[in-house]
């Protein structure tokens, strides 16, 4: 048997078998400086990147007045409504109200599948969306009406109707106590992506997603609430996913990753400002919450981030990327921000 070669595996002699692994006792030594500098360089590059990514997920500049600790972790899809100093949290199987001390002070059982999303509360009734359907329940949780549709809905501030639309773009008026259809306008030739009603209840804003088949562009139609007559049209370029009418008459539209503030002019709607939240490190908005006085706007991306804007110019005042579930304003103009284990009350 020939003798085993004593050639070092790290020999540089031509033809020798080479092993490029760094010996443990030489790692970090000067002999391997080039390789060490390369690895250190990669580390130095990675540190700022990790800092930026990590910092973005935890950034928080909200001026917190109070924190309400919750006994249990709320569902990721939970939503929030506020009334009389209580925060109502919608979770699977129930609506639960907590006071500012975190105590459960009321509970409304719900016979709905999944996690319900609160749309609004009016006339002692809750309007909820869950499992592809919309339901109205009384203060005890009894179902008063259900509509098997995920079409957009809007509340009539006068309490006369609940507005919705068909897939072909026909706006309908539903009875608020049962969600039974009572009337409808002619088809617009395009699906409706969002709907809202003016503070006085005299105008209905209808966001058309657009239809190439019917040559209908994406736009917001302004219609007379009484007759359905088209008053004006504002082109959006893409479907508006959210429409919210503020108390001062400003209409807020979410188009893609941007929030646009629109005001009425002599010839219809005009854009007052636009704020973009899309791109790397940001999430497209899911909801817009306007303060009672119309002075501030909370833009929420569910479970990801929240931005508090000045309604006049869209300037970002405060923000948080600590995965807010939802947010809602109270009558005093304070913003309640729902987190996984707490509610923060922001001035």
């Amino acid at each position: 048997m020939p003798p085993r070669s004593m050639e070092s595996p790290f020999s540089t002699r031509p033809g020798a078998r080479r092993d490029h692994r760094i010996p443990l006792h030489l790692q970090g030594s000067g002999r391997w400086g080039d390789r060490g500098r390369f690895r250190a360089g990669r580390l130095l590059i990675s540190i700022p990147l990790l800092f930026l990514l990590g910092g973005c997920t935890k950034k928080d500049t909200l001026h917190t007045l109070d924190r309400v600790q919750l006994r249990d972790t709320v569902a990721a899809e939970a939503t929030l409504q506020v009334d009389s100093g209580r925060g109502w949290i919608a979770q699977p199987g129930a609506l639960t109200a907590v006071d500012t001390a975190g105590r459960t002070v009321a509970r409304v059982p719900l016979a709905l599948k999944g996690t319900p999303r609160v749309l609004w509360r009016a006339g002692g009734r809750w309007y909820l969306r869950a499992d592809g359907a919309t339901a109205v329940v009384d203060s005890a949780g009894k179902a008063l009406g259900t509509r098997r549709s995920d079409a957009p809905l809007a509340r009539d501030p006068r309490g006369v109707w609940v507005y919705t639309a068909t897939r072909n773009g026909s706006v309908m008026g539903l009875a608020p106590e049962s969600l039974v259809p009572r009337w409808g306008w002619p088809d617009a030739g395009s699906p409706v992506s969002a709907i809202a009603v003016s503070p006085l209840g005299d105008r209905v804003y209808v966001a058309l997603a657009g239809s190439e088949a019917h040559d209908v562009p994406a736009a917001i139609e302004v219609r007379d609430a009484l007759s359905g007559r088209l008053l004006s049209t504002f082109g959006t370029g893409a479907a508006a996913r959210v429409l919210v009418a503020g108390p001062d008459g400003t209409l807020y539209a979410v188009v893609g990753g941007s929030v646009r503030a629109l005001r009425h002019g002599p010839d219809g709607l005009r854009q007052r400002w636009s704020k973009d939240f899309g791109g790397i490190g940001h999430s497209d908005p899911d909801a817009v919450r306007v303060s009672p006085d119309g002075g501030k706007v909370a833009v929420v991306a569910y479970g990801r981030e929240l931005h508090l804007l000045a309604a006049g110019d869209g300037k970002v005042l405060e923000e948080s990327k600590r995965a807010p579930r939802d947010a809602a304003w109270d009558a005093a103009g304070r913003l309640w921000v729902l987190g996984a284990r707490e509610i923060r009350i922001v001035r």
Side-chain angles (χ1 to χ4, degrees):
M1 179 175 181
R4 180 176 296 179
S5 172
M6 298 301 293
E7 184 75 58
S8 167
F10 302 96
S11 172
T12 57
R13 182 179 59 81
R17 179 175 61 86
R18 297 186 182 184
D19 188 335
H20 294 285
R21 292 173 296 179
I22 304 174
L24 185 60
H25 69 285
L26 291 177
Q27 289 183 12
S29 69
R31 180 175 173 182
W32 301 94
D34 291 341
R35 186 183 295 268
R37 282 192 295 270
F38 173 70
R39 295 171 68 184
R42 288 193 301 177
L43 180 61
L44 290 174
I45 293 172
S46 301
I47 288 174
L49 181 60
L50 291 173
F51 175 78
L52 289 173
L53 293 177
C56 287
T57 59
K58 297 181 180 180
K59 183 178 181 181
D60 193 296
T61 59
L62 296 180
H63 291 81
T64 303
L65 295 174
D66 197 5
R67 294 178 184 269
V68 180
Q69 300 300 321
L70 304 176
R71 295 181 59 184
D72 301 305
T73 301
V74 301
E77 300 83 12
T79 46
L80 179 69
Q81 287 281 305
V82 180
D83 72 346
S84 304
R86 301 178 298 178
W88 286 90
I89 303 172
Q91 297 205 81
L95 289 165
T96 304
V98 297
D99 62 14
T100 53
R103 297 170 299 199
T104 299
V105 294
R107 187 177 186 275
V108 178
L110 299 173
L112 299 172
K113 294 181 180 179
T115 303
R117 183 166 294 280
V118 177
L119 299 178
W120 66 83
R121 187 184 188 188
R125 297 183 289 261
W126 291 94
Y127 294 83
L128 310 162
R129 172 156 287 166
D131 193 32
T134 303
V136 54
V137 302
D138 63 15
S139 57
K142 179 183 178 181
L144 304 176
T146 302
R147 180 173 174 80
R148 181 59 61 177
S149 171
D150 58 359
L153 282 90
R155 174 192 173 209
D156 181 354
R158 303 167 301 171
V160 179
W161 306 109
V162 170
Y163 292 89
T164 189
T166 66
R167 292 182 178 179
N168 295 325
S170 173
V171 174
M172 296 191 300
L174 311 178
E177 67 278 2
S178 62
L179 300 182
V180 174
R182 297 301 188 194
W183 53 263
W185 296 336
D187 290 354
S190 164
V192 173
S193 54
I195 193 167
V197 184
S198 65
L200 298 178
D202 57 340
R203 294 187 180 101
V204 180
Y205 304 102
V206 184
L208 302 180
S211 171
E212 293 184 0
H214 297 92
D215 195 25
V216 178
I220 298 173
E221 292 185 340
V222 182
R223 292 185 174 272
D224 178 72
L226 183 62
S227 64
R229 180 171 62 92
L230 181 63
L231 302 177
S232 63
T233 301
F234 179 84
T236 53
R241 297 183 290 107
V242 176
L243 287 181
V244 177
D248 62 348
T250 301
L251 181 67
Y252 298 92
V254 175
V255 182
S258 67
V259 176
R260 305 179 187 181
L262 310 174
R263 293 282 293 181
H264 284 280
D267 301 320
L269 292 174
R270 290 184 177 181
Q271 183 168 298
R272 190 175 183 182
W273 53 260
S274 177
K275 186 69 177 180
D276 187 23
F277 294 102
I280 298 175
H282 292 282
S283 301
D284 290 348
D286 295 309
V288 174
R289 315 293 192 201
V290 186
S291 64
D293 64 358
K296 294 180 180 179
V297 179
V299 179
V300 186
Y302 296 136
R304 296 181 296 276
E305 57 191 54
L306 179 147
H307 307 275
L308 188 59
L309 313 182
D313 56 9
K315 179 183 178 181
V316 177
L317 304 174
E318 303 167 32
E319 57 189 349
S320 174
K321 294 193 176 183
R322 294 184 179 173
R325 303 300 203 247
D326 197 9
W329 296 93
D330 64 16
R334 300 178 303 175
L335 184 66
W336 293 43
V337 182
L338 177 64
R341 292 297 302 269
E342 69 174 7
I343 296 175
R344 298 172 61 186
I345 302 177
V346 181
R347 67 172 173 82

